[in-house]
Amino acid sequence: DQQVKQNSPSLSVQEGRISILNCDYTNSMFDYFLWYKKYPAEGPTFLISISSIKDKNEDGRFTVFLNKSAKHLSLHIVPSQPGDSAVYFCAAINTGGFKTIFGAGTRLFVKA
Amino acid sequence: EADIYQTPRYLVIGTGKKITLECSQTMGHDKMYWYQQDPGMELHLIHYSYGVNSTEKGDLSSESTVSRIRTEHFPLTLESARPSHTSQYLCASSWQGNTEAFFGQGTRLTVV
């Protein structure tokens, strides 16, 4: 039973354009959401997060949007750069618990 | 900069062998985790620890065992490796009360 779903295995975007990565979750108890970025042969690195009390969090070129009623979050990268090419994992946590639940990842290709 | 290290990075081993995957962090984090990931799939939590002498099993059933004798060290052991254990193993750590985890580079294990 996948509690965090990233339905797009891959996404291809032209350099300079916007990349939008989507994530859906099923557990309404999740109250904190994170995005991790993973390059080949490396471990994931934390990118940006959002608390369930917010609907938007911005950090430079990266913005995460949260729609709690739809149980949906998205990561926007503007403008996209070739160095952004990586696998992006959505993750969710119930901070009253312990475990972080990860999605299967979306592979982003940014073409120069 | 995260300081969490996994060794070996790559391991090819025969069926029935005993192996230990090493994970060490120099950040003084209380929480440590082991995740298992197959290509294109979610990261699945297989073990975690709140601190020294604390170990718990995660969501994904695993035949591996872990120990936490020192804060900085969280090794994972397979007593008898099988081809079904072929996967990538990712170690991570975090502060108590902090949701962001720092990951090691991973160990890619192949059992032949």
Short mmCIF file of all heavy atoms in Angstrom, two decimals, chain A residues 2-5 31-32 34 36 38 40-47 49 87 89 93 95 97-105 107, chain B residues 9-10 31-33 35 37 40-45 48-50 57-59 88 90 96 98-106 108:
data_model
loop_
_atom_site.label_atom_id
_atom_site.label_comp_id
_atom_site.label_asym_id
_atom_site.label_seq_id
_atom_site.Cartn_x
_atom_site.Cartn_y
_atom_site.Cartn_z
N GLN A 2 0.94 1.90 -1.16
CA GLN A 2 1.81 3.06 -1.27
C GLN A 2 1.13 4.28 -0.68
O GLN A 2 0.10 4.73 -1.19
CB GLN A 2 2.11 3.35 -2.75
CG GLN A 2 3.17 2.45 -3.35
CD GLN A 2 3.48 2.90 -4.76
OE1 GLN A 2 2.76 2.53 -5.69
NE2 GLN A 2 4.50 3.69 -4.93
N GLN A 3 1.69 4.82 0.38
CA GLN A 3 1.11 6.00 1.00
C GLN A 3 1.57 7.28 0.32
O GLN A 3 0.94 8.32 0.47
CB GLN A 3 1.48 6.03 2.47
CG GLN A 3 0.94 4.86 3.27
CD GLN A 3 1.23 5.03 4.74
OE1 GLN A 3 0.79 5.96 5.38
NE2 GLN A 3 2.02 4.10 5.27
N VAL A 4 2.70 7.22 -0.37
CA VAL A 4 3.24 8.37 -1.09
C VAL A 4 3.49 7.93 -2.52
O VAL A 4 4.24 6.98 -2.75
CB VAL A 4 4.54 8.88 -0.44
CG1 VAL A 4 5.12 10.04 -1.24
CG2 VAL A 4 4.28 9.31 1.00
N LYS A 5 2.86 8.61 -3.46
CA LYS A 5 2.94 8.19 -4.86
C LYS A 5 3.49 9.30 -5.74
O LYS A 5 3.02 10.43 -5.70
CB LYS A 5 1.55 7.79 -5.37
CG LYS A 5 0.95 6.60 -4.67
CD LYS A 5 -0.40 6.25 -5.27
CE LYS A 5 -1.04 5.11 -4.51
NZ LYS A 5 -2.38 4.77 -5.06
N ASP A 31 2.14 15.31 8.45
CA ASP A 31 2.11 16.74 8.72
C ASP A 31 3.40 17.46 8.32
O ASP A 31 3.58 18.64 8.61
CB ASP A 31 1.77 17.01 10.19
CG ASP A 31 2.73 16.31 11.15
OD1 ASP A 31 3.70 15.69 10.68
OD2 ASP A 31 2.49 16.39 12.37
N TYR A 32 4.27 16.73 7.65
CA TYR A 32 5.51 17.36 7.19
C TYR A 32 5.93 16.63 5.93
O TYR A 32 5.89 15.39 5.86
CB TYR A 32 6.57 17.24 8.27
CG TYR A 32 7.66 18.28 8.18
CD1 TYR A 32 7.47 19.55 8.70
CD2 TYR A 32 8.89 17.98 7.59
CE1 TYR A 32 8.46 20.51 8.62
CE2 TYR A 32 9.88 18.93 7.50
CZ TYR A 32 9.67 20.19 8.02
OH TYR A 32 10.64 21.14 7.94
N LEU A 34 8.81 16.47 2.54
CA LEU A 34 10.17 16.82 2.14
C LEU A 34 10.39 16.38 0.70
O LEU A 34 9.78 15.43 0.21
CB LEU A 34 11.20 16.12 3.04
CG LEU A 34 11.05 16.25 4.55
CD1 LEU A 34 10.28 15.08 5.14
CD2 LEU A 34 12.42 16.33 5.21
N TYR A 36 13.75 15.25 -1.65
CA TYR A 36 15.16 14.90 -1.69
C TYR A 36 15.56 14.76 -3.15
O TYR A 36 14.79 14.35 -4.00
CB TYR A 36 15.42 13.56 -0.97
CG TYR A 36 15.36 13.61 0.53
CD1 TYR A 36 14.14 13.50 1.20
CD2 TYR A 36 16.52 13.75 1.29
CE1 TYR A 36 14.09 13.53 2.58
CE2 TYR A 36 16.47 13.78 2.67
CZ TYR A 36 15.25 13.66 3.31
OH TYR A 36 15.21 13.69 4.68
N LYS A 38 18.55 13.06 -5.72
CA LYS A 38 19.55 12.00 -5.73
C LYS A 38 20.24 11.92 -7.08
O LYS A 38 19.59 11.71 -8.11
CB LYS A 38 18.90 10.66 -5.40
CG LYS A 38 19.90 9.51 -5.28
CD LYS A 38 19.20 8.21 -4.97
CE LYS A 38 20.18 7.07 -4.75
NZ LYS A 38 21.00 6.79 -5.92
N PRO A 40 23.13 9.86 -9.47
CA PRO A 40 23.58 8.47 -9.56
C PRO A 40 24.78 8.20 -8.66
O PRO A 40 25.66 9.05 -8.52
CB PRO A 40 23.97 8.34 -11.04
CG PRO A 40 23.16 9.37 -11.75
CD PRO A 40 23.06 10.52 -10.79
N ALA A 41 24.79 7.05 -8.04
CA ALA A 41 25.89 6.60 -7.19
C ALA A 41 26.08 7.47 -5.96
O ALA A 41 27.16 7.45 -5.34
CB ALA A 41 27.19 6.50 -7.98
N GLU A 42 25.08 8.27 -5.60
CA GLU A 42 25.14 9.04 -4.37
C GLU A 42 23.87 8.81 -3.56
O GLU A 42 22.85 8.35 -4.09
CB GLU A 42 25.27 10.54 -4.67
CG GLU A 42 26.59 10.91 -5.33
CD GLU A 42 26.73 12.40 -5.50
OE1 GLU A 42 25.94 13.15 -4.89
OE2 GLU A 42 27.62 12.82 -6.26
N GLY A 43 23.92 9.14 -2.29
CA GLY A 43 22.71 9.06 -1.48
C GLY A 43 21.84 10.28 -1.70
O GLY A 43 22.30 11.30 -2.21
N PRO A 44 20.56 10.21 -1.33
CA PRO A 44 19.68 11.37 -1.45
C PRO A 44 20.17 12.52 -0.58
O PRO A 44 20.75 12.31 0.49
CB PRO A 44 18.34 10.85 -0.93
CG PRO A 44 18.42 9.37 -1.03
CD PRO A 44 19.86 9.03 -0.80
N THR A 45 19.94 13.74 -1.04
CA THR A 45 20.24 14.92 -0.24
C THR A 45 18.97 15.75 -0.09
O THR A 45 18.18 15.88 -1.05
CB THR A 45 21.34 15.79 -0.85
OG1 THR A 45 20.98 16.13 -2.19
CG2 THR A 45 22.67 15.07 -0.87
N PHE A 46 18.77 16.29 1.07
CA PHE A 46 17.59 17.09 1.36
C PHE A 46 17.57 18.34 0.50
O PHE A 46 18.59 19.01 0.33
CB PHE A 46 17.58 17.47 2.84
CG PHE A 46 16.55 18.49 3.19
CD1 PHE A 46 15.21 18.14 3.26
CD2 PHE A 46 16.91 19.81 3.45
CE1 PHE A 46 14.26 19.08 3.58
CE2 PHE A 46 15.97 20.76 3.77
CZ PHE A 46 14.64 20.39 3.83
N LEU A 47 16.39 18.67 -0.03
CA LEU A 47 16.27 19.82 -0.92
C LEU A 47 15.40 20.92 -0.29
O LEU A 47 15.84 22.05 -0.13
CB LEU A 47 15.66 19.37 -2.24
CG LEU A 47 15.58 20.37 -3.37
CD1 LEU A 47 16.95 20.89 -3.74
CD2 LEU A 47 14.91 19.73 -4.60
N SER A 49 11.49 21.51 2.26
CA SER A 49 10.41 20.87 3.00
C SER A 49 9.27 21.85 3.22
O SER A 49 9.41 23.05 2.97
CB SER A 49 10.93 20.36 4.35
OG SER A 49 11.39 21.44 5.14
N VAL A 87 17.24 12.27 -9.77
CA VAL A 87 15.98 11.66 -9.31
C VAL A 87 15.50 12.44 -8.09
O VAL A 87 16.28 12.72 -7.17
CB VAL A 87 16.16 10.18 -8.95
CG1 VAL A 87 14.85 9.60 -8.40
CG2 VAL A 87 16.62 9.39 -10.17
N PHE A 89 12.88 12.57 -4.94
CA PHE A 89 11.99 11.77 -4.09
C PHE A 89 11.14 12.70 -3.23
O PHE A 89 11.64 13.62 -2.59
CB PHE A 89 12.80 10.87 -3.16
CG PHE A 89 13.50 9.74 -3.85
CD1 PHE A 89 14.82 9.84 -4.23
CD2 PHE A 89 12.82 8.55 -4.11
CE1 PHE A 89 15.46 8.79 -4.88
CE2 PHE A 89 13.45 7.51 -4.75
CZ PHE A 89 14.77 7.62 -5.13
N ILE A 93 6.03 12.58 6.48
CA ILE A 93 6.25 12.08 7.83
C ILE A 93 5.13 12.56 8.74
O ILE A 93 4.62 13.67 8.59
CB ILE A 93 7.63 12.53 8.36
CG1 ILE A 93 7.96 11.86 9.69
CG2 ILE A 93 7.70 14.05 8.48
CD1 ILE A 93 9.42 12.03 10.10
N THR A 95 4.97 13.64 12.26
CA THR A 95 5.99 14.00 13.24
C THR A 95 5.69 13.46 14.63
O THR A 95 6.53 13.47 15.50
CB THR A 95 6.18 15.52 13.30
OG1 THR A 95 4.91 16.14 13.52
CG2 THR A 95 6.80 16.05 12.03
N GLY A 97 5.07 10.39 14.94
CA GLY A 97 5.65 9.06 14.82
C GLY A 97 7.13 9.15 14.58
O GLY A 97 7.81 10.00 15.11
N PHE A 98 7.65 8.29 13.75
CA PHE A 98 9.08 8.25 13.56
C PHE A 98 9.47 8.10 12.10
O PHE A 98 10.48 8.61 11.68
CB PHE A 98 9.64 7.06 14.35
CG PHE A 98 11.14 7.00 14.36
CD1 PHE A 98 11.85 7.56 15.40
CD2 PHE A 98 11.84 6.38 13.34
CE1 PHE A 98 13.24 7.49 15.42
CE2 PHE A 98 13.23 6.31 13.36
CZ PHE A 98 13.92 6.86 14.40
N LYS A 99 8.62 7.44 11.33
CA LYS A 99 9.06 6.97 10.03
C LYS A 99 8.75 7.97 8.93
O LYS A 99 7.69 8.58 8.89
CB LYS A 99 8.39 5.64 9.71
CG LYS A 99 8.70 4.56 10.72
CD LYS A 99 7.77 3.37 10.57
CE LYS A 99 7.94 2.43 11.74
NZ LYS A 99 6.94 1.34 11.70
N THR A 100 9.72 8.12 8.05
CA THR A 100 9.53 8.89 6.84
C THR A 100 9.15 7.93 5.73
O THR A 100 9.81 6.91 5.53
CB THR A 100 10.82 9.64 6.47
OG1 THR A 100 11.19 10.49 7.56
CG2 THR A 100 10.62 10.48 5.23
N ILE A 101 8.09 8.24 5.01
CA ILE A 101 7.63 7.40 3.90
C ILE A 101 8.03 8.09 2.60
O ILE A 101 7.72 9.26 2.38
CB ILE A 101 6.11 7.20 3.93
CG1 ILE A 101 5.67 6.68 5.30
CG2 ILE A 101 5.68 6.24 2.81
CD1 ILE A 101 6.23 5.33 5.68
N PHE A 102 8.71 7.34 1.74
CA PHE A 102 9.21 7.88 0.49
C PHE A 102 8.38 7.41 -0.69
O PHE A 102 7.85 6.29 -0.70
CB PHE A 102 10.66 7.42 0.25
CG PHE A 102 11.67 8.12 1.11
CD1 PHE A 102 11.94 7.67 2.39
CD2 PHE A 102 12.36 9.21 0.61
CE1 PHE A 102 12.88 8.32 3.18
CE2 PHE A 102 13.31 9.87 1.40
CZ PHE A 102 13.56 9.41 2.68
N GLY A 103 8.30 8.27 -1.71
CA GLY A 103 7.76 7.87 -3.00
C GLY A 103 8.84 7.15 -3.80
O GLY A 103 9.98 7.01 -3.35
N ALA A 104 8.46 6.72 -5.01
CA ALA A 104 9.38 5.95 -5.85
C ALA A 104 10.33 6.83 -6.65
O ALA A 104 11.23 6.32 -7.30
CB ALA A 104 8.59 5.04 -6.79
N GLY A 105 10.11 8.13 -6.62
CA GLY A 105 11.02 9.04 -7.30
C GLY A 105 10.58 9.36 -8.72
O GLY A 105 9.89 8.58 -9.38
N ARG A 107 12.52 10.82 -12.23
CA ARG A 107 13.81 11.17 -12.83
C ARG A 107 13.61 12.38 -13.73
O ARG A 107 12.84 12.34 -14.68
CB ARG A 107 14.36 10.00 -13.64
CG ARG A 107 15.76 10.27 -14.21
CD ARG A 107 16.30 9.04 -14.91
NE ARG A 107 16.50 7.92 -14.00
CZ ARG A 107 17.56 7.76 -13.23
NH1 ARG A 107 18.55 8.64 -13.30
NH2 ARG A 107 17.67 6.71 -12.45
N ARG B 9 31.26 0.66 -0.93
CA ARG B 9 30.33 1.29 -1.87
C ARG B 9 29.68 0.23 -2.75
O ARG B 9 28.50 0.33 -3.09
CB ARG B 9 31.06 2.31 -2.74
CG ARG B 9 31.56 3.53 -2.02
CD ARG B 9 30.40 4.46 -1.65
NE ARG B 9 29.56 4.80 -2.78
CZ ARG B 9 29.83 5.72 -3.69
NH1 ARG B 9 30.95 6.41 -3.61
NH2 ARG B 9 28.99 5.96 -4.68
N TYR B 10 30.46 -0.74 -3.14
CA TYR B 10 29.97 -1.83 -3.99
C TYR B 10 30.48 -3.15 -3.43
O TYR B 10 31.62 -3.22 -2.96
CB TYR B 10 30.47 -1.67 -5.43
CG TYR B 10 30.08 -0.36 -6.06
CD1 TYR B 10 30.93 0.73 -6.01
CD2 TYR B 10 28.85 -0.22 -6.70
CE1 TYR B 10 30.57 1.94 -6.58
CE2 TYR B 10 28.48 1.00 -7.27
CZ TYR B 10 29.34 2.07 -7.20
OH TYR B 10 28.99 3.27 -7.76
N LYS B 31 19.41 9.68 15.95
CA LYS B 31 18.64 8.73 15.14
C LYS B 31 19.49 8.25 13.96
O LYS B 31 20.14 9.04 13.29
CB LYS B 31 17.38 9.38 14.59
CG LYS B 31 16.35 9.79 15.61
CD LYS B 31 15.13 10.33 14.85
CE LYS B 31 14.13 10.97 15.76
NZ LYS B 31 13.03 11.60 14.99
N MET B 32 19.40 6.95 13.70
CA MET B 32 20.03 6.39 12.51
C MET B 32 19.07 5.39 11.88
O MET B 32 18.22 4.82 12.56
CB MET B 32 21.38 5.75 12.83
CG MET B 32 22.42 6.78 13.30
SD MET B 32 24.09 6.16 13.39
CE MET B 32 24.55 6.08 11.65
N TYR B 33 19.24 5.23 10.55
CA TYR B 33 18.29 4.44 9.78
C TYR B 33 19.02 3.63 8.71
O TYR B 33 20.06 4.05 8.23
CB TYR B 33 17.30 5.34 9.01
CG TYR B 33 16.78 6.55 9.74
CD1 TYR B 33 17.57 7.69 9.89
CD2 TYR B 33 15.48 6.58 10.24
CE1 TYR B 33 17.09 8.81 10.54
CE2 TYR B 33 14.99 7.70 10.89
CZ TYR B 33 15.80 8.82 11.03
OH TYR B 33 15.32 9.93 11.67
N TYR B 35 17.84 2.04 4.98
CA TYR B 35 16.82 1.90 3.95
C TYR B 35 17.33 0.94 2.88
O TYR B 35 18.52 0.85 2.63
CB TYR B 35 16.52 3.24 3.27
CG TYR B 35 15.78 4.23 4.13
CD1 TYR B 35 16.45 5.12 4.94
CD2 TYR B 35 14.38 4.28 4.10
CE1 TYR B 35 15.77 6.05 5.72
CE2 TYR B 35 13.69 5.21 4.88
CZ TYR B 35 14.39 6.08 5.68
OH TYR B 35 13.70 6.99 6.44
N GLN B 37 16.66 0.06 -1.22
CA GLN B 37 16.02 0.60 -2.41
C GLN B 37 16.39 -0.22 -3.63
O GLN B 37 17.58 -0.44 -3.90
CB GLN B 37 16.41 2.05 -2.65
CG GLN B 37 15.59 2.69 -3.75
CD GLN B 37 16.27 3.83 -4.47
OE1 GLN B 37 17.44 4.11 -4.26
NE2 GLN B 37 15.52 4.50 -5.32
N GLY B 40 14.16 2.33 -9.31
CA GLY B 40 12.84 2.82 -9.66
C GLY B 40 11.78 2.61 -8.59
O GLY B 40 10.59 2.83 -8.85
N MET B 41 12.23 2.24 -7.42
CA MET B 41 11.27 1.96 -6.35
C MET B 41 11.49 2.89 -5.17
O MET B 41 12.47 3.63 -5.11
CB MET B 41 11.42 0.49 -5.88
CG MET B 41 11.23 -0.52 -6.99
SD MET B 41 9.56 -0.52 -7.65
CE MET B 41 8.67 -1.24 -6.29
N GLU B 42 10.55 2.82 -4.22
CA GLU B 42 10.65 3.64 -3.02
C GLU B 42 11.82 3.20 -2.14
O GLU B 42 12.30 2.07 -2.24
CB GLU B 42 9.37 3.53 -2.17
CG GLU B 42 8.08 3.86 -2.88
CD GLU B 42 7.45 2.63 -3.51
OE1 GLU B 42 8.15 1.65 -3.82
OE2 GLU B 42 6.22 2.67 -3.70
N LEU B 43 12.24 4.10 -1.28
CA LEU B 43 13.14 3.71 -0.21
C LEU B 43 12.29 3.06 0.89
O LEU B 43 11.29 3.64 1.33
CB LEU B 43 13.85 4.93 0.38
CG LEU B 43 15.05 5.51 -0.35
CD1 LEU B 43 14.64 6.16 -1.66
CD2 LEU B 43 15.78 6.51 0.54
N HIS B 44 12.68 1.87 1.29
CA HIS B 44 11.94 1.18 2.34
C HIS B 44 12.78 1.11 3.61
O HIS B 44 13.93 0.66 3.57
CB HIS B 44 11.57 -0.24 1.90
CG HIS B 44 10.50 -0.27 0.85
ND1 HIS B 44 9.19 0.04 1.12
CD2 HIS B 44 10.56 -0.56 -0.46
CE1 HIS B 44 8.47 -0.07 0.02
NE2 HIS B 44 9.28 -0.43 -0.96
N LEU B 45 12.20 1.53 4.72
CA LEU B 45 12.90 1.50 6.00
C LEU B 45 12.98 0.07 6.50
O LEU B 45 11.95 -0.60 6.64
CB LEU B 45 12.16 2.38 7.00
CG LEU B 45 12.78 2.52 8.38
CD1 LEU B 45 14.09 3.30 8.30
CD2 LEU B 45 11.81 3.21 9.33
N TYR B 48 15.88 0.98 12.29
CA TYR B 48 16.18 2.31 12.79
C TYR B 48 16.58 2.23 14.25
O TYR B 48 16.38 1.21 14.92
CB TYR B 48 15.01 3.28 12.58
CG TYR B 48 13.70 2.91 13.24
CD1 TYR B 48 13.35 3.46 14.47
CD2 TYR B 48 12.80 2.06 12.60
CE1 TYR B 48 12.13 3.16 15.06
CE2 TYR B 48 11.59 1.75 13.19
CZ TYR B 48 11.25 2.31 14.40
OH TYR B 48 10.05 2.00 14.98
N SER B 49 17.14 3.35 14.71
CA SER B 49 17.64 3.40 16.08
C SER B 49 17.42 4.81 16.63
O SER B 49 17.70 5.80 15.97
CB SER B 49 19.13 3.05 16.10
OG SER B 49 19.71 3.37 17.34
N TYR B 50 16.95 4.86 17.88
CA TYR B 50 16.76 6.14 18.55
C TYR B 50 18.06 6.63 19.19
O TYR B 50 18.21 7.82 19.47
CB TYR B 50 15.71 6.03 19.65
CG TYR B 50 14.29 5.82 19.17
CD1 TYR B 50 13.71 4.56 19.21
CD2 TYR B 50 13.53 6.88 18.69
CE1 TYR B 50 12.40 4.37 18.79
CE2 TYR B 50 12.22 6.69 18.28
CZ TYR B 50 11.66 5.43 18.34
OH TYR B 50 10.37 5.25 17.92
N LYS B 57 12.90 -2.70 14.12
CA LYS B 57 12.68 -3.10 12.74
C LYS B 57 11.76 -2.09 12.05
O LYS B 57 10.85 -1.54 12.67
CB LYS B 57 12.06 -4.50 12.68
CG LYS B 57 13.04 -5.61 13.04
CD LYS B 57 12.49 -6.97 12.70
CE LYS B 57 13.48 -8.06 13.02
NZ LYS B 57 14.67 -7.99 12.14
N GLY B 58 12.01 -1.90 10.78
CA GLY B 58 11.22 -0.96 10.00
C GLY B 58 10.02 -1.62 9.36
O GLY B 58 9.57 -2.69 9.77
N ASP B 59 9.53 -0.98 8.29
CA ASP B 59 8.32 -1.46 7.64
C ASP B 59 8.57 -2.68 6.77
O ASP B 59 7.71 -3.56 6.65
CB ASP B 59 7.73 -0.35 6.76
CG ASP B 59 7.29 0.83 7.58
OD1 ASP B 59 6.74 0.61 8.67
OD2 ASP B 59 7.49 1.97 7.13
N GLN B 88 20.22 -1.89 -3.21
CA GLN B 88 21.04 -0.81 -2.67
C GLN B 88 20.61 -0.56 -1.23
O GLN B 88 19.41 -0.50 -0.93
CB GLN B 88 20.91 0.47 -3.47
CG GLN B 88 21.81 1.58 -2.94
CD GLN B 88 21.80 2.85 -3.75
OE1 GLN B 88 20.74 3.31 -4.13
NE2 GLN B 88 22.97 3.41 -4.00
N LEU B 90 20.93 2.04 1.94
CA LEU B 90 21.25 3.43 2.27
C LEU B 90 21.14 3.65 3.77
O LEU B 90 20.12 3.32 4.38
CB LEU B 90 20.28 4.38 1.56
CG LEU B 90 20.43 4.48 0.04
CD1 LEU B 90 19.17 5.02 -0.59
CD2 LEU B 90 21.62 5.35 -0.32
N GLN B 96 17.35 14.21 16.91
CA GLN B 96 16.05 14.00 17.55
C GLN B 96 15.19 15.21 17.29
O GLN B 96 15.64 16.34 17.40
CB GLN B 96 16.23 13.83 19.06
CG GLN B 96 16.84 12.54 19.50
CD GLN B 96 15.91 11.35 19.41
OE1 GLN B 96 14.78 11.46 18.91
NE2 GLN B 96 16.36 10.19 19.87
N ASN B 98 14.13 16.27 14.55
CA ASN B 98 14.37 16.88 13.24
C ASN B 98 13.94 15.91 12.16
O ASN B 98 14.23 14.73 12.23
CB ASN B 98 15.86 17.21 13.10
CG ASN B 98 16.11 18.19 11.97
OD1 ASN B 98 15.39 18.20 10.98
ND2 ASN B 98 17.12 19.00 12.11
N THR B 99 13.23 16.41 11.17
CA THR B 99 12.70 15.52 10.15
C THR B 99 13.66 15.30 8.98
O THR B 99 13.52 14.34 8.25
CB THR B 99 11.38 16.07 9.59
OG1 THR B 99 11.59 17.43 9.19
CG2 THR B 99 10.30 16.04 10.66
N GLU B 100 14.61 16.20 8.81
CA GLU B 100 15.53 16.08 7.68
C GLU B 100 16.60 15.05 7.99
O GLU B 100 17.24 15.09 9.05
CB GLU B 100 16.19 17.43 7.42
CG GLU B 100 17.29 17.40 6.39
CD GLU B 100 18.11 18.69 6.41
OE1 GLU B 100 17.60 19.69 6.96
OE2 GLU B 100 19.24 18.68 5.91
N ALA B 101 16.80 14.12 7.10
CA ALA B 101 17.81 13.08 7.28
C ALA B 101 18.98 13.31 6.34
O ALA B 101 18.82 13.82 5.23
CB ALA B 101 17.20 11.70 7.03
N PHE B 102 20.16 12.92 6.80
CA PHE B 102 21.36 12.97 5.99
C PHE B 102 21.71 11.54 5.60
O PHE B 102 21.77 10.65 6.44
CB PHE B 102 22.51 13.58 6.79
CG PHE B 102 22.29 15.02 7.13
CD1 PHE B 102 21.63 15.38 8.29
CD2 PHE B 102 22.74 16.02 6.29
CE1 PHE B 102 21.42 16.71 8.61
CE2 PHE B 102 22.54 17.36 6.59
CZ PHE B 102 21.88 17.70 7.76
N PHE B 103 21.95 11.34 4.31
CA PHE B 103 22.19 10.00 3.79
C PHE B 103 23.66 9.79 3.45
O PHE B 103 24.35 10.72 3.01
CB PHE B 103 21.37 9.76 2.52
CG PHE B 103 19.93 9.48 2.77
CD1 PHE B 103 19.02 10.50 2.96
CD2 PHE B 103 19.47 8.16 2.83
CE1 PHE B 103 17.68 10.24 3.20
CE2 PHE B 103 18.13 7.89 3.07
CZ PHE B 103 17.23 8.92 3.25
N GLY B 104 24.10 8.55 3.62
CA GLY B 104 25.37 8.13 3.08
C GLY B 104 25.25 7.87 1.59
O GLY B 104 24.17 8.00 1.01
N GLN B 105 26.36 7.50 0.97
CA GLN B 105 26.37 7.30 -0.48
C GLN B 105 25.78 5.96 -0.89
O GLN B 105 25.56 5.73 -2.07
CB GLN B 105 27.80 7.44 -1.00
CG GLN B 105 28.32 8.87 -0.92
CD GLN B 105 29.70 8.98 -1.52
OE1 GLN B 105 30.65 8.36 -1.05
NE2 GLN B 105 29.83 9.78 -2.56
N GLY B 106 25.55 5.10 0.08
CA GLY B 106 24.92 3.83 -0.24
C GLY B 106 25.91 2.71 -0.49
O GLY B 106 27.08 2.95 -0.84
N ARG B 108 25.90 -0.73 -2.81
CA ARG B 108 25.18 -1.56 -3.79
C ARG B 108 25.67 -2.99 -3.63
O ARG B 108 26.82 -3.29 -3.90
CB ARG B 108 25.42 -1.06 -5.20
CG ARG B 108 24.58 -1.81 -6.22
CD ARG B 108 24.48 -1.10 -7.55
NE ARG B 108 23.77 0.17 -7.47
CZ ARG B 108 22.45 0.31 -7.41
NH1 ARG B 108 21.68 -0.75 -7.41
NH2 ARG B 108 21.90 1.49 -7.37
#
